[in-house]
Amino acid sequence: QVQLVESGGGLVQAGASLRLSCVASGRTLINYMGWFRQAPGKEREFVAVIRWRGGGSVFYADSVKGRFTISRDNAENTVYLQMNSLKPEDTAVYYCAATTYSSNIDYAPVYEYWGQGTQVTVSS
C-alpha cells in the first residue's frame, strides 16, 4: 500500500506561481508518480508524470508544457509540481497519484494510489 498526501494549493491571481508537494509513504515499489486535476463538471485530466526510480524521465500535458515542472526528491519520498504563469483555466482540484505500471502513464485508471487532492484556484 502507498499513502499520498498533497499540500500547497491555494488562491492566487493569474500569472502567479504555486508549488504543490506530495509525500508518499508505504512499502510498495512505485514506477511512476503523476499529477492529475479535475475542474468542476469535467473529467479528471492528466497534468504531468515522473518516473520514480532510475532516470526520472518526465512527461507533460500540452496544456501545461513550458509552465509546469514536475520533480522528485527520492530521499524525502516527495514529488513536486511547480506551477508558473497560472491561468484561470488551471483552476481545479489537483491530485497526486502513484502507479506500479509502466505504460499508459497519462491514463488515470492506471494509477492505483491517489491522494486526497488540493484545491488550486486562479482568479483573473
Side-chain angles (χ1 to χ4, degrees):
Q1 289 292 320
V2 175
Q3 293 77 44
L4 304 173
V5 179
E6 305 104 329
S7 61
L11 170 63
V12 297
Q13 291 189 329
S17 298
L18 278 175
R19 188 176 80 157
L20 305 183
S21 301
C22 174
V23 179
S25 61
R27 300 175 65 86
T28 301
L29 291 179
I30 297 168
N31 271 330
Y32 287 88
M33 291 191 69
W35 288 95
F36 290 77
R37 65 187 182 186
Q38 188 166 19
K42 295 188 177 181
E43 292 187 354
R44 192 167 298 190
E45 67 171 357
F46 167 74
V47 175
V49 63
I50 187 167
R51 187 175 179 183
W52 187 243
R53 294 177 287 152
S57 55
V58 299
F59 179 57
Y60 297 95
D62 288 342
S63 59
V64 305
K65 202 172 293 183
R67 299 188 298 122
F68 290 12
T69 302
I70 189 170
S71 61
R72 67 182 188 183
D73 183 337
N74 292 84
E76 297 294 329
N77 289 327
T78 302
V79 63
Y80 302 98
L81 185 68
Q82 177 67 43
M83 306 185 294
N84 299 328
S85 302
L86 283 161
K87 305 175 181 180
E89 51 263 45
D90 294 318
T91 295
V93 177
Y94 283 70
Y95 296 91
C96 175
T99 182
T100 60
Y101 292 93
S102 299
S103 60
N104 297 319
I105 55 175
D106 59 344
Y107 186 49
V110 167
Y111 289 77
E112 301 113 306
Y113 308 102
W114 292 85
Q116 80 286 355
T118 185
Q119 177 70 47
V120 172
T121 303
V122 185
S123 63
S124 57

